[in-house]
C-alpha cells in the first residue's frame, strides 16, 4: 500500500517498481537463479538474493543520483 511507503522512498518506488523491477526480476530469476518466473514457488532464499542484488542496488543508485 502506498500509505506504508515513506515520503522519502515514494520517488524510488514510482521510478523503480513501476518501470524497471519486473524486467530486472525476470532477467535475474532466469539468468542468475536459473528459474522460470512463472511457476516458481516463492522462497525467502530467492527473495534475499533479489533484495540484495537488485532492490538494494537500485535503491542506492537512485538516491546517489539525487
Amino acid at each position: 500500500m502506498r500509505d506504508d511507503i515513506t515520503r522519502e522512498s515514494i520517488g524510488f518506488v514510482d521510478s523503480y517498481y513501476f518501470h524497471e523491477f519486473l524486467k530486472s526480476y525476470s532477467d535475474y530469476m532466469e539468468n542468475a537463479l536459473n528459474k522460470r518466473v512463472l511457476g516458481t514457488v516463492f522462497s525467502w532464499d530467492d527473495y534475499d538474493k533479489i533484495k540484495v542484488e537488485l532492490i538494494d542496488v537500485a535503491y542506492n543508485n537512485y538516491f546517489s543520483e539525487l
Side-chain angles (χ1 to χ4, degrees):
M1 304 293 302
R2 274 183 94 70
D3 293 341
D4 295 329
I5 302 168
T6 64
R7 278 189 184 165
E8 294 80 19
S9 297
I10 202 74
F12 167 72
V13 171
D14 287 343
S15 172
Y16 182 65
Y17 281 98
F18 296 126
H19 299 285
E20 299 173 38
F21 177 71
L22 289 179
K23 173 96 172 92
S24 298
Y25 172 76
S26 297
D27 289 346
Y28 185 82
M29 287 292 288
E30 292 175 6
N31 298 318
L33 300 182
N34 208 22
K35 295 182 177 184
R36 296 178 60 203
V37 174
L38 298 176
T40 297
V41 176
F42 173 83
S43 80
W44 284 107
D45 288 336
D46 290 348
Y47 169 78
D48 290 338
K49 291 173 187 169
I50 290 166
K51 180 192 176 300
V52 169
E53 296 185 31
L54 292 181
I55 299 170
D56 288 350
V57 170
Y59 184 85
N60 290 329
N61 288 341
Y62 177 84
F63 283 100
S64 72
E65 293 174 3
L66 292 181

